[in-house]
Amino acid sequence: MTARIAESTKRHIRKMVFAAMFLAIAMLLPFLTGQIPQIGGMLCPMHLPVLLCGFVCGPLWGGAVGLVCPLLRHMFFGMPPVLTAITMTFELCAYGALAGVFHRIFRKLSGERSMAAVYAALVLAMVGGRIVWGLASSVMMFAGQTEFSAAAFFAGGFVQAWPGILLQLVLIPPLYRLMEKLKLTL
């Protein structure tokens, strides 16, 4: 019984450490875009570590990292702007949580090491996160008494962000697979 508790505690601490690492990466990665909002909006640099955290640490830690990252980044560095940070908080929380949930589901359905399962979980998490972003943006725009149309949703969520979406699809599955091979997944 004591060995089980020790193993559980060790696993919990590893998840916490990995989540802290992903949070730090999410806080620093946007500096590669030079703090230019247009480039950051296209490449979505905070999304990458949050999605990966959901895969590696599970839905709870992935959601937590996504929840705190945009607001912390706004508080420390002034970017993203506060309204953007608020909507991103909901979006990234959904990304991290959904990546973890869908990854667990598809892993059980298709086997431990299916690359198709990783892609399926990633795509569903990305779509779910975009929907949550659209809902959060609608609420924020309604509160500010401005319009947020379906055209604005598709322009901001997909058309403008297509380079980031492509980057996520290209980088996250191989990075996750590499972490698996190095036994860095939990």
Side-chain angles (χ1 to χ4, degrees):
M1 181 76 126
T2 306
R4 261 204 214 149
I5 293 171
E7 186 60 36
S8 175
T9 302
K10 182 179 174 182
R11 185 175 172 84
H12 184 73
I13 290 170
R14 282 191 72 188
K15 282 185 180 184
M16 193 181 327
V17 169
F18 272 82
M21 176 194 69
F22 285 120
L23 178 60
I25 293 169
M27 295 284 288
L28 297 175
L29 204 54
F31 284 115
L32 294 178
T33 65
Q35 292 291 88
I36 301 168
Q38 295 80 4
I39 294 175
M42 286 188 326
L43 295 180
C44 311
M46 285 191 282
H47 296 56
L48 293 166
V50 170
L51 285 161
L52 201 52
C53 184
F55 277 98
V56 173
C57 301
L60 180 66
W61 287 104
V65 168
L67 185 71
V68 300
C69 183
L71 293 176
L72 277 178
R73 194 154 201 300
H74 172 75
M75 287 178 3
F76 290 140
F77 306 119
M79 289 298 286
V82 69
L83 293 178
T84 303
I86 292 169
T87 57
M88 283 182 71
T89 294
F90 291 102
E91 175 189 21
L92 293 181
C93 180
Y95 277 147
L98 291 174
V101 167
F102 288 129
H103 179 60
R104 284 183 181 172
I105 291 170
F106 287 118
R107 220 167 95 192
K108 286 180 184 175
L109 291 175
S110 67
E112 287 291 316
R113 301 207 178 247
S114 168
M115 202 61 165
V118 173
Y119 276 104
L122 178 60
V123 168
L124 287 175
M126 290 167 63
V127 169
R130 291 291 177 195
I131 290 169
V132 169
W133 170 80
L135 293 172
S137 295
S138 294
V139 170
M140 293 299 290
M141 295 301 163
F142 180 72
Q145 298 178 350
T146 59
E147 286 189 37
F148 185 74
S149 64
F153 169 71
F154 284 106
F158 298 97
V159 175
Q160 179 187 356
W162 74 265
I165 292 168
L166 185 62
L167 195 63
Q168 292 162 20
L169 290 170
V170 168
L171 289 180
I172 291 174
L175 282 174
Y176 177 70
R177 194 57 75 206
L178 177 64
M179 290 183 78
E180 275 187 329
K181 286 182 181 179
L182 297 173
K183 298 189 186 326
L184 295 175
T185 57
L186 306 169

